[in-house]
Amino acid sequence: MLVETFNPFNNILISSLVAAIPIILFLLCLTIFKMKGLYAALLNLGVTFLIAMLIFDLPFGESVGSVIQGALQGMWPIGYIIVMAVWLYKISVESGKFDILRASIAGISQDQRLQLLLIGFCFNAFLEGAAGFGVPIAICAVLLVSLGFKPLQAAMLCLIANGASGAFGAIGIPVAITGTLNLEGNVTSMDVSMMTALTLPIINFSIPFLLIFLLNGLKGVKEILPAILVVASTYTVTQALITIFLGPELADIIPSLLTMGVLALFLRKWQPKNIFLLNNQEVKIEKHSVGEIIRAWSPFYLLSIFVLVWSIPAFKALFLEGGALNFTIVKLAIPGSSLFSSFNLVSATGTAILLAGITTILTTKSIGFPAGFKLLKKTVLEFWIPIMMISAILGIAKLMTHAGLTTVLGEAVATTGSIFPLVSPILGWIGVFMTGSVVNNNTLFAPIQATAANIIGTDPALLVSANTAGGVMAKLISPQSIAIATAAVGQTGKEALLTKMTLKYSFGLLAFVCVWTFLLSLMF
């Protein structure tokens, strides 16, 4: 916070209502006014800039610096990650690997409800755990479209499915980061991880049912109930055990791979009596050898391997102060302000994905570097508008943080006293809606949650986990997620429609987390 006070009106209620204007306006722009995402983001950026500078007294230089800092972060590392992930996907398509990969999944069952469970739920969760930052939504939505799903339908289903894995994205960083914040009550990341097992399993178990219901109604749920139970129970139980005994790092990766494998084996013995096909059109499946299938999946194996290496503590230590590769971190002071931006040239997750793409080209005869670089150029041209939108959103987030708008919102919610646990997840929802990141959300609001918990006498780990769970529910409609999803399926400009499609599910899941957290607070 770069202002003298986060309460310019000397009244928490009035100050928080003014601070909430960017959030409310964003929702109105995307739902009621049906504006394109980029225009909504730019309008809100202007409004937030004026509120931060004129009402919260953020100096002009710091206001401009906040926008620049957010814009740069939108391009690096977030835009970098998105472009690299989609580029890797395009390499897979151009080389012919993607057709074999798709056939390997579709070949397990022609029933597209089961394909949704395999791709939209299991593979989605795996990519969330391995890379995060929009990668699973971008890749899985495109996969579903290639199998006959409607573009916005595929995007919506992938966004909802991501609610089962978003808390532990990118090697569990959203939860792991809480252990670095020195939270009041000596809350550790393991404490938070264990506490998530009281809430997230209920959501995780229900989402596969919800996905099939949205695709094919109650009829579909009944017809493939055994498969849904296999997916829901395997994923839920495995993730709960890992979060309790091992921690957050592998809480998406192991459960998703195990669930995919168990479902594939189960479907060898069981198939639904009625095969559900979208538009009654059967997807033609070519048979391939085991070796071809293994090679076809190699871009994603490589993605996982590189991202896992990038997440190893010993590797991360190379980039710390005094580390052998610390020189690869470029720090840029933003003129006219006290702010700066860092560019992690090597340690960025996007670089890990870049290496996966380069390795794929080197090990694939059917594509070379000239074709690969043409695909990279094409990807950049396709995604510059969504990246601009994301940069504007992060500019808003930085303005709200540095001007104290997020702080006063947090303080306002914390004044609710004994019913604070009921509204605690809403803080997390707000944090992710504005930043698109559960990591940023926990960085912003976990300290407030822990402090409030100690004041009202409840377990601080419970409220920090509620902050995480509430935040995950906002990923379904955060402008950043919506921008990535619409761009991936070629529907840029239809962000308002996709937001409308997912909004009620975000609110419904948030309402459950709020009520459930309040009930848990009575026991802890």
Side-chain angles (χ1 to χ4, degrees):
M1 197 169 71
L2 301 176
V3 293
E4 293 183 3
T5 176
F6 58 80
N7 186 11
F9 295 97
N10 293 317
N11 183 301
I12 288 290
L13 177 60
I14 296 175
S15 295
S16 63
L17 287 174
V18 174
I21 289 174
I23 299 169
I24 296 169
L25 182 59
F26 225 134
L27 281 172
L28 289 174
C29 287
L30 291 174
T31 54
I32 304 299
F33 304 140
K34 298 181 179 179
M35 293 176 64
K36 289 186 177 182
L38 178 60
Y39 299 151
L42 292 175
L43 172 62
N44 276 270
L45 180 60
V47 171
T48 308
F49 185 91
L50 293 175
I51 291 173
M53 188 174 68
L54 300 179
I55 299 178
F56 283 77
D57 293 327
L58 185 66
F60 178 77
E62 303 289 8
S63 297
V64 173
S66 298
V67 174
I68 294 173
Q69 187 184 56
L72 291 175
Q73 187 177 340
M75 290 183 277
W76 193 288
I78 296 173
Y80 181 35
I81 291 169
I82 295 167
V83 168
M84 288 300 105
V86 176
W87 180 54
L88 180 65
Y89 158 74
K90 288 183 179 294
I91 290 171
S92 177
V93 172
E94 186 71 17
S95 65
K97 292 178 183 289
F98 189 81
D99 289 335
I100 300 174
L101 183 153
R102 180 179 60 184
S104 72
I105 296 175
I108 295 174
S109 176
Q110 280 283 347
D111 193 299
Q112 295 190 287
R113 297 165 299 191
L114 298 173
Q115 292 172 359
L116 174 60
L117 291 178
L118 283 162
I119 299 169
F121 187 81
C122 297
F123 195 45
N124 186 322
F126 169 72
L127 290 175
E128 179 66 33
F133 295 103
V135 171
I137 295 169
I139 290 178
C140 293
V142 173
L143 261 171
L144 290 178
V145 170
S146 72
L147 289 171
F149 287 72
K150 295 178 181 178
L152 288 181
Q153 176 191 43
M156 178 192 72
L157 292 170
C158 287
L159 285 166
I160 293 172
N162 200 243
S165 55
F168 304 104
I171 322 297
I173 293 175
V175 172
I177 200 171
T178 60
T180 69
L181 302 176
N182 298 315
L183 299 177
E184 192 168 334
N186 297 316
V187 179
T188 67
S189 59
M190 192 65 193
D191 294 331
V192 178
S193 179
M194 293 172 68
M195 197 61 74
T196 61
L198 296 176
T199 301
L200 293 180
I202 301 172
I203 295 170
N204 295 347
F205 191 85
S206 65
I207 283 181
F209 289 88
L210 177 59
L211 293 174
I212 301 306
F213 176 77
L214 291 174
L215 182 64
N216 192 217
L218 282 175
K219 177 176 178 289
V221 173
K222 291 178 182 177
E223 288 185 350
I224 66 162
L225 182 60
I228 299 174
L229 288 172
V230 166
V231 170
S233 57
T234 303
Y235 183 84
T236 301
V237 171
T238 307
Q239 188 180 84
L241 290 173
I242 289 174
T243 55
I244 292 171
F245 296 108
L246 296 180
E249 288 79 8
L250 299 174
D252 277 345
I253 294 176
I254 293 177
S256 58
L257 287 176
L258 181 62
T259 303
M260 196 181 300
V262 170
L263 179 59
L265 290 174
F266 176 75
L267 293 177
R268 286 188 173 186
K269 301 292 183 181
W270 179 91
Q271 289 285 337
K273 292 181 180 179
N274 299 314
I275 301 298
F276 174 77
L277 298 170
L278 291 166
N279 304 317
N280 293 318
Q281 291 183 355
E282 185 172 323
V283 179
K284 293 182 179 180
I285 305 298
E286 296 181 5
K287 292 186 177 181
H288 299 278
S289 67
V290 174
E292 288 176 322
I293 292 172
I294 291 174
R295 287 191 293 274
W297 278 88
S298 63
F300 301 102
Y301 296 149
L302 290 167
L303 167 68
S304 303
I305 291 169
F306 279 110
V307 171
L308 284 170
V309 170
W310 257 238
S311 304
I312 295 172
F315 183 80
K316 289 183 176 181
L318 296 173
F319 302 92
L320 298 177
E321 193 70 34
L325 296 177
N326 180 255
F327 70 93
T328 63
I329 299 176
V330 178
K331 291 187 178 181
L332 174 67
I334 300 175
S337 74
S338 61
L339 303 172
F340 68 90
S341 285
S342 295
F343 297 89
N344 303 325
L345 302 180
V346 176
S347 61
T349 303
T351 302
I353 307 174
L354 169 63
L355 292 176
I358 291 173
T359 307
T360 299
I361 293 174
L362 287 171
T363 56
T364 305
K365 294 180 180 179
S366 55
I367 188 171
F369 281 104
F373 288 129
K374 284 183 181 178
L375 291 174
L376 179 58
K377 180 181 178 181
K378 183 179 179 181
T379 303
V380 172
L381 291 174
E382 286 178 358
F383 277 82
W384 75 270
I385 290 179
I387 291 171
M388 279 183 62
M389 177 183 167
I390 291 167
S391 294
I393 293 164
L394 287 172
I396 295 169
K398 294 297 181 181
L399 280 168
M400 291 186 69
T401 300
H402 295 148
L405 278 72
T406 52
T407 301
V408 74
L409 285 170
E411 292 290 337
V413 178
T415 58
T416 54
S418 60
I419 66 165
F420 177 67
L422 182 65
V423 296
S424 167
I426 296 175
L427 268 184
W429 191 96
I430 291 171
V432 173
F433 179 81
M434 291 310 302
T435 68
S437 166
V438 186
V439 177
N440 290 343
N441 162 55
N442 276 345
T443 303
L444 288 171
F445 291 136
I448 295 174
Q449 299 277 11
T451 300
N454 281 285
I455 292 172
I456 65 177
T458 193
D459 191 329
L462 171 63
L463 296 193
V464 175
S465 71
N467 192 70
T468 305
V472 172
M473 301 313 116
K475 287 195 75 175
L476 276 63
I477 61 163
S478 78
Q480 181 175 310
S481 297
I482 294 292
I484 292 169
T486 51
V489 296
Q491 298 293 307
T492 296
K494 295 185 178 180
E495 292 84 5
L497 179 56
L498 182 57
T499 300
K500 186 177 180 180
M501 291 169 68
T502 57
L503 187 63
K504 60 184 175 182
Y505 304 108
S506 176
F507 283 164
L509 290 169
L510 175 64
F512 165 75
V513 175
C514 288
V515 173
W516 186 246
T517 300
F518 179 72
L519 294 175
L520 289 174
S521 72
L522 301 177
M523 296 182 279
F524 290 92

